[in-house]
């Protein structure tokens, strides 16, 4: 333990005389730092959590990249089939970082009950469909069994089930319009699962069932589907992998990332990055100002001590380090309180969902949080570093204190 640290430690523990104002100033500085850390951690955790949750919901229903014919780009329903006999299917070996690829098809339909009629998008999926992406949102029932013969089992959103007054194991009659509006095809489906993603754009439209229904209605072959959904290992590389997949597919096919398909949503999500940065800057400025005031008060109260130290041979930098050690101690105390309170709140929100959100505006029913240890450590280290660097400026006042005048200072 060096001399500067020992003196700083004693300085922290020493009780000031009754007229001293350092104690309340230090407490205010600690509280300001704690509040700043709480705001910073919670803004990052909720901002990134919301971004990740919405991104996961969109990719669960679309994949990260969609490969289809150019004719289907602006259509909710699959109109022109694409063959499953491809070099990239069922394994995309030419592009690294592809976790899974699955064949799907969509077709517009109407579900009619005794009470109401609702337009839907029937999404047909096959044996290769990864149901793990949907299971998280399943609130009742189970997923269809697509391994055997064509099945009439479907999963429907809670939103549609409520509007159609349907319950688990109910039968719903669906009408698929034929090409050229020449009549319709009637299919009866059994609702064996109900999901709730909280994403109204999907919940109000999609019913998921057997791909073979669409193939049969459209008179497609078993090897013909509407599009392919590609899932990546790392979402942060979606733009890069999107370009690679576009080049790796035949020129008659197009590939679109979900960022391009849902451009407005992802642009809205980018605003959270700006908000987080603003909060971080403001909170660090507030914390730093409070620390500067606290440090100046400590220096003024310890003017005699500074004079004595200079008189016995201590140089300016060694004395400045004493007060910087003391400032670091105050900062760490504020960080400990702030981290403890913030992480406690985040854990309560993660497991109990205390803070609710409007799904129509935020696409989620409760505020999601992302508790990332890396971000928290980086935030704490960054706060300490920035505060100490800024505090070098007010500590420069120590070099202007004369030992003779300081010792006589009352």
């Amino acid at each position: 333990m060096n001399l500067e640290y020992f003196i700083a430690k004693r300085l922290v523990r020493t009780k000031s005389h009754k007229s001293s104002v350092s104690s309340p100033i230090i407490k205010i500085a600690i509280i300001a730092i704690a509040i700043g850390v709480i705001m910073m951690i919670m803004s990052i955790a909720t901002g990134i959590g919301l971004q990740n949750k919405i991104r996961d919901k969109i990719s669960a229903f679309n994949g990260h990249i969609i490969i289809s014919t150019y004719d289907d780009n602006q259509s909710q329903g699959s109109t022109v089939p694409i063959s499953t006999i491809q070099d990239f299917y069922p394994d995309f070996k030419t592009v690294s970082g592809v976790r899974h690829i699955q064949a799907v098809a969509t077709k517009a339909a109407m579900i009619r009950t005794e009470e109401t009629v609702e337009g839907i998008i029937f999404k047909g999926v096959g044996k290769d469909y990864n149901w793990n992406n949907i299971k998280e949102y399943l609130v009742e029932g189970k997923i269809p069994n697509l391994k055997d013969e064509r099945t009439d089992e479907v999963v429907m959103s809670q939103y549609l089930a409520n509007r159609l007054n349907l319950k688990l194991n109910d039968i719903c009659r669906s009408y698929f319009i034929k090409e050229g509006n020449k009549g319709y095809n009637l299919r009866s489906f059994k609702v064996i699962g109900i999901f709730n993603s909280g994403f109204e754009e999907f919940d109000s439209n999609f019913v998921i069932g057997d791909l073979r229904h669409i193939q049969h209605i459209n008179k497609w072959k078993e090897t013909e589907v509407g599009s392919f959904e590609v899932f990546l290992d790392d979402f942060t590389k979606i733009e890069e992998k999107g370009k690679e997949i576009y080049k790796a597919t035949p020129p008659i096919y197009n590939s679109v990332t979900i960022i391009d398909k849902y451009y407005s949503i992802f642009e809205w999500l980018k605003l959270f990055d700006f908000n987080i940065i603003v909060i971080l800057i403001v909170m660090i400025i507030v914390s730093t100002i409070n620390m500067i005031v606290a440090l100046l008060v400590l220096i003024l109260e310890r003017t005699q001590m500074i004079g004595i130290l200079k008189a016995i041979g201590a140089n300016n930098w060694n004395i400045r380090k004493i007060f910087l050690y003391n400032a670091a101690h105050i900062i760490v105390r504020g960080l400990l309180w702030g981290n403890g309170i913030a992480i406690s709140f985040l854990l309560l929100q993660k497991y109990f969902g205390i803070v609710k959100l409007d799904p129509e505006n935020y696409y989620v029913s409760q505020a999601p949080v992302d508790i990332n240890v890396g971000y928290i450590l980086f935030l704490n280290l960054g706060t300490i570093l920035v505060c100490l660097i800024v505090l070098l400026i007010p500590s420069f006042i120590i070099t202007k204190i004369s030992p003779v005048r300081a010792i006589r200072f009352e």
Side-chain angles (χ1 to χ4, degrees), residues 32-319:
I33 292 171
I35 293 173
V37 171
I38 291 170
M39 294 293 293
M40 289 189 286
I41 291 178
M42 293 188 70
S43 64
I44 291 176
T46 54
I48 294 177
L50 186 61
Q51 288 176 322
N52 291 342
K53 193 65 177 179
I54 294 175
R55 181 196 72 191
D56 291 344
K57 286 187 179 184
I58 295 175
S59 60
F61 288 89
N62 297 272
H64 296 125
I65 300 168
I66 301 114
I67 301 172
S68 64
T69 61
Y70 282 93
D71 296 320
D72 281 348
N73 286 342
Q74 302 299 324
S75 176
Q76 280 279 30
S78 305
T79 56
V80 179
I82 179 173
S83 175
T84 56
I85 304 173
Q86 306 285 346
D87 293 336
F88 58 78
Y89 183 78
D91 297 310
F92 215 128
K93 297 179 180 179
T94 56
V95 177
S96 61
V98 174
R99 184 174 77 246
H100 179 66
I101 181 169
Q102 58 196 28
V104 300
T106 54
K107 191 170 182 66
M110 290 188 302
I111 295 180
R112 180 179 179 181
T113 64
E114 295 179 357
E115 300 173 352
T116 185
V117 176
E118 285 289 331
I120 65 156
I121 300 296
F122 184 89
K123 181 172 183 177
V125 300
K127 298 177 182 179
D128 61 349
Y129 191 73
N130 186 3
W131 288 100
N132 290 330
N133 298 315
I134 307 296
K135 282 182 178 179
E136 178 185 351
Y137 310 112
L138 202 66
V139 293
E140 285 186 81
K142 58 182 180 179
I143 60 175
N145 180 14
L146 305 177
K147 295 181 181 179
D148 301 321
E149 297 180 355
R150 186 172 66 195
T151 178
D152 295 329
E153 298 175 342
V154 297
V155 292
M156 177 183 292
S157 72
Q158 198 169 49
Y159 176 91
L160 281 173
N162 291 338
R163 288 182 67 88
L164 293 165
N165 197 24
L166 292 172
K167 297 180 176 60
L168 210 60
N169 298 318
D170 282 353
I171 303 297
C172 60
R173 296 164 65 87
S174 303
Y175 298 84
F176 294 86
I177 307 300
K178 292 183 179 179
E179 293 185 12
N181 293 324
K182 298 178 182 179
Y184 57 85
N185 289 288
L186 174 62
R187 293 289 186 277
S188 295
F189 297 114
K190 182 180 180 181
V191 181
I192 68 160
I194 296 176
F195 67 87
N196 182 16
S197 70
F199 208 112
E200 191 172 326
E201 186 167 348
F202 301 138
D203 289 355
S204 62
N205 290 307
F206 284 101
V207 173
I208 305 175
D210 199 324
L211 170 64
R212 287 166 287 192
H213 284 291
I214 296 180
Q215 290 174 329
H216 185 262
I217 293 170
N218 289 349
K219 297 180 181 178
W220 290 352
K221 298 176 183 177
E222 291 183 1
T223 57
E224 292 180 326
V225 296
S227 60
F228 295 98
E229 295 177 345
V230 182
F231 291 84
L232 305 175
D233 290 324
D234 187 357
F235 182 84
T236 59
K237 297 181 179 179
I238 187 170
E239 296 287 356
E240 174 190 341
K241 296 302 175 182
K243 293 176 181 178
E244 291 183 26
I245 288 173
Y246 181 81
K247 293 177 181 179
T249 53
I252 59 173
Y253 302 139
N254 187 31
S255 65
V256 180
T257 66
I258 55 173
I259 293 178
D260 295 327
K261 186 174 181 179
Y262 298 96
Y263 178 79
S264 59
I265 295 176
F266 281 94
E267 283 298 304
W268 173 68
L269 289 177
K270 288 180 181 179
L271 294 176
F272 286 90
D273 294 329
F274 176 76
N275 293 339
I276 290 171
I277 291 171
V278 170
I279 291 173
L280 292 179
I281 292 173
V282 171
M283 290 298 102
I284 288 177
I285 290 174
V286 171
S287 301
T288 304
I289 290 173
N290 279 276
M291 281 305 308
I292 290 173
V293 173
L295 184 62
L296 289 174
V297 170
L298 283 173
I299 291 172
L300 291 174
E301 285 195 336
R302 303 295 175 172
T303 303
Q304 281 188 330
M305 186 191 78
I306 294 170
I308 293 171
L309 289 173
K310 282 189 174 184
I312 62 177
N315 59 43
N316 287 323
W317 176 236
N318 287 335
I319 300 173

